[in-house]
Amino acid sequence: MDAIDPAMLRMPHAEHRTIDFFTEDALPAPRMAPAEAERVAAQHLGIDARAEGLGSQQDANFLLRSEDGTASAILKVANPAFGALEVEAQDTAADLIASAHPELRVATVLRRPDGSPRCATVDTESGPAVARLLRYLPGGPLSGPRHLSPSTVAAMGTIAGKVSTALRDFRHPGLERVLQWDLRHADRVVAKLAGYIDEPDRRAAVRAATADAWARVQKVAAVLPSQAVHLDLTDDNLIRCPDGRLPMPDGVIDFGDLTMSWAVGELAVSLSSMLHHDGVEPHHVLPAVRAFHAVRPLSPDEAEALWPLVVLRAAGLVASGRQQAAVDEDNAYAKAALDREWRIFERATHLPLPVMIHLVKDATGLADAPARADAPAHGLLRDLAGDDITVLDLSADADSMDDGAWLEAAAEDRLAASALTGGAAAVATWYAQARLTRAQALSAVSPATVPTGVNLWLGRTALMQAPAAGKVLAAAPGRVEITCGPQVLTLSFPHAVHPVVTTGATVQAGQDIAHLPSGTSVHIALHTADSPAVPPLVRPEYAAGWLALTADPAPLLGLPATGRTPHGDLLDRRDAVFATVQEHYYADPPRIERGWRHHLLSTDGRSYLDIVNNVTPLGHAHPRVEQAVSRQLRRLNTNSRFHYASVVEFTERLAALLPEPLDTVFLVNSGSEAVDLGLRLAIGASGLHDVVALREAYHGWTYASDAVSTSLQDNPNALATRPGWVHTVDSPNSYRGRHRGADAARYAPEAVAVIDELAASGRPAGAFIGETFYGNAGGVALPDGYLAEVYAAVRRHGGLAVADEVQVGYGRLGHWFWGFEQQQVVPDIVCVAKAMGNGHPLGAVITSRAVADRYRDQGYFFSSTGGSPVSSVVGLTVLDTLRDEDLQGNAVRVGGRLKSRLEALADRYGIVGAVHGSGLYLGLELVRDRVSLEPATEETAELCDRMLDLGVIVQPTGDHLNILKIKPPLCLDTSAADFFVDMLDRALGQLGHCR
C-alpha cells in the first residue's frame, strides 16, 4: 500500500517524529489512573464509561465499560515517545488486515461519523501522548500458563502468515522506527540492556546466546526480505474466539510494535510466546511453522534464520523485561512477566541452534540432502569385511524384542553376546533406527531412542585404521577424533584402550589408529566439523535436527547405509487404498507395530500406556496365546465341519460359564456377527419380527446389528434411519438421561409400557436387545432391576431377551464375569466377542438347545473360520489364562484403586462430572457444568491429544464424545493405573481445568 489516505493524515497534531529506542534512556508506561482515563475518554473521545486498567509494557491501556457493564471499547494511551505518525501507521495497518482477512477480528480504531479516528493528544505526567479508542474484541487472550494444543499452535501460525501477507506491500512513513523489539537491532538491544540482569550466570547466558544467534542471522541477513510487520503476534495479542470451547485465536490486537523489519521475524515473535506455556517444548511449536509456511512460504534463508531469531527475541525479552521493571517500578505487568520471559529463553536455548535450524527446515520441506559417507578405500576395521559383521535389529519390528525383551536393562549387550557366541566376528547396530531397547515404560516424556552413530561389539581382536587421510583432532585413552573427508569421525571405546595416534598428527589412509582386543565395544559416529557435541541417542521429536549434523558410518565398516522412510508416507498410502470411513485414532498418529501387556510401542521407540484395548484382556502379545496359535497352525486349521477336539472342548468350557438353560454355542468371528446371529435366533424362535432396542447403544455394522445400533456418534442419523421393525426405548442413563439418580427407576416401567403398546398394536416384539452394562455410553450401570422388568415384559408377549456382552463380558467388570449377573437376570441369548480371542477374531452366541434348534427353520448355519481349530485353541487359552492369572480378580483390585483415584480428581477439577463403571470398564465423564451436564466434547478431544503426548492412549466415547473410555487390558497393574491418573491430573491442570 504505497499511498496514504489523506483523511488519515488529519491528526490532532502535526508532529511527524518517530521513535529511536537507542536515543531514549527508558520507556516507562504513561501513568494514568482509571479516573483520569475516564475523563480523557469523556472529554476528548466522546464516550462516558468506567475504566479498568489493563497491563502493558510501555503504553497505558484501559477497558471501557458502559453503565450496564458491557465492554464498549479499549482506550489506548500511547507511550509519549511514540509520535502521531506512528499511531496513524498502526491504525492504517489494522484497517488493511481487517479488509484483507474479514475472517479475522482486528482491533481497529473507532471512528467518528465523518470517518476520522477517535483520537486525541492528551497530557500525561510523561508529556503529551496520543490517546485513541480501539475496537474491543471479546474472548480474552491466549496468555497464561495453559498448555497450547497443536491446533491452537497451528492457528497462531496461520494468523501470523495472514498478517504477513496482508502487510507485504504496506508502506507508511510511520513505519520508519527504531524499536527495541525490531530483531534487526537485537544485538544492540541486548548489549544496552543486559546489565539490568542481576544474576551473573543468567546475564552471561543471554549474552552468549545472543552472540551465537546474531552471528548465524548475519550469514543470511542481506537476503532476508523486509516488510511491514506487526511484530507482536504473541499469546498476549491473539484473542480467543468468544464462541469457542477451546482457546482458538481469531482476533488480533495491539499494533504498537508495527515497523519495517525482516518478514520472518513475524513468525519468530509468535513462536517465542508459545514457549512459556505448560508442557510446551521447542518441537511443540512446529505446527505453527508449518501453518505459517502454508500461507506465506518461507525461503530457505528464512528457515535458516527463524530459530536464531526466536533466540534473539527471547534474549531481548529477558533484558528488556529486567530494564522495564527497574525503570518503571510501579508496572506490575512488566514485573509479572519476568519469570515467564526467562522460561521462554530457557526453552528457546534448550537445544543447540543447528539442531533447531535443521528441525525447522525439515518441518517446512526445506531440509538439506543428508550427508553421506562413501565406502572408503580402506575399511575402518582391517581384515574385517561387512560380510563378517552381523547387524543387530533393535527396532520395534525385531523378533528379538518379543516377550518384553525391550524392558531388559542389558538387552543390547545380551543380544550382541548371543550373536558373537553364534560365530559372528563382530556385531553392529543400525544408524538412525529407533531402538526399542531404549524405550521406557510409563514415561511422560519420550526417551532418547534414535542413534546418531553405530555401536560395534568385537568377537575377535581387530585393528582400527584410518579410512582416509585426515588430521587427528583428539586422541586419548578411550577416544579418538579424526577428520574424514568433510566430516569428523569419532571413535569411543573402553578407557583401557590407548590409541596409537596423537592429537594434531596427520594420518594417511590405512594407517593404524588403535588395537582393539576381543570383546571390545566401540561407538562410531560421523558428524559435521562445526557441529555441537552430538549425543549417541536423541529423542525422536528432535531426530531430524540432530541427524542432519551426522552421517551414517556403516559404509566405513563395509555395511550398507540405513534407508530412512518419512513417517507420513505410510499414512498417505493408507488413505490412498484403505477406505477412509475406517478411521484412525489421532490426526497425527504414532505408528504402532508392537504391544506387550498393557503397553503399545511405536516405531519411534515410545511406549504408550494402553487404556482402550478391551480386545486384548490378557494383554498384548501374550506368550501363551502366541505359542498355542503357532502350535495349532503347524498342525491344522480348517472349518468346524471337520471333527476335531478343540471346538468341542472350547464350547463345553464356554457353556459351563453360563447358567441354565444356556447350554448351546454358535461360534462366529466378531461381535457384529454375534449380535446379528442372536437377533436371527430370537426372531426365528419367537416367530415375531419386531425388535426393541435401547438408545445410545452400538451393536455392530452388519445389517441387523446396525439396525439396532442407536448411537448418534456412530451414526448421527441413527434414530431417523432405523427400519420399521426396530423400536427404541430411552437410554436408562441415571447420570444424564431424562430420569436421574433415584428417578432412574422410572426407565423400566416406561420401557415395559412401550413393549406392551407394541403388543397391543399387533406387533409384539420378538426380541429385546441391550448391553447389560452400558458400554458404549461410558460404562454406566443400568438401574437396579431394569433388565428383570424389561425381560419379563418381552417374554410375556412371546419374545426373547438378547444380552450384548461383547464389550463388558468375560470378567472385565470384576465383580461379575457377565454383565447380566449384576442385574440378577438370565437372558435367553448371549452375544459375546472381543475379549474371547485376545485380538484373534472370535465371537460366540450362547443360547438354549430349544432356541438353537429353531434356527433350522431358517436354513443352515455355517461360519468358515468361526470355531476353526486355531480359533478354538485361542478361545481355550484365553479362558485358561483368565483363570490362571486371576485377571477378573485383578479387575476388582486394580479397577477399584483406579476408580477411587479418578473420583478424587473431581475435588480438583470441575470438569470431572462422574466416574462410571466397575472393575476395568470405567468411564470418566467430562462436563462444563455439573448441574446442566453440558458435555465437554471439545475439551475431551483436546485432553486425549495431550494424554498421547504424555504417553497414554485413551479415547472418547458416548453420544457426545465426552467420556474417556477406560477399558485397558485386564493385566493392568497398580503402577500403570497410578501413572494413568497422574498423567490425567497433569493434563487437566495444564489445560486449565483447575477449579
Side-chain angles (χ1 to χ4, degrees), residues 442 596-599 608-613 616-620 812 885-899 902 919-922 952-953 966-981:
L442 306 180
W596 175 247
R597 293 180 58 80
H598 42 272
H599 307 286
Y608 295 92
L609 174 60
D610 180 5
I611 292 295
V612 300
N613 250 306
T616 51
L618 310 185
H620 298 284
R812 177 161 292 278
E885 297 184 5
D886 189 25
L887 293 182
Q888 184 178 352
N890 191 63
V892 174
R893 294 183 295 272
V894 177
R897 177 185 178 93
L898 178 56
K899 186 171 185 179
L902 290 172
L920 285 174
Y921 201 108
L922 304 175
V952 179
I953 291 179
I966 301 167
K967 45 180 187 173
L970 297 183
C971 59
L972 189 83
D973 55 29
T974 55
S975 61
D978 286 344
F979 177 77
F980 169 57
V981 181

Side-chain angles (χ1 to χ4, degrees), residues 210-229:
T210 300
D212 185 16
W214 185 254
R216 292 181 184 278
V217 171
Q218 287 308 295
K219 294 178 181 179
V220 294
V223 294
L224 293 180
S226 292
Q227 65 169 72
V229 286

Side-chain angles (χ1 to χ4, degrees), residues 692 694 729-734 738-739 741-756 768 782-794 796 823:
V692 174
L694 293 177
V729 294
D730 254 354
S731 164
N733 190 321
S734 57
R738 285 195 309 119
H739 308 306
D743 287 345
R746 298 168 61 184
Y747 285 118
E750 290 178 356
V752 168
V754 170
I755 294 169
D756 288 343
F768 169 84
L782 302 181
D784 290 343
Y786 180 84
L787 288 183
E789 292 187 54
V790 175
Y791 281 9
V794 75
R796 188 166 60 247
Q823 287 280 303

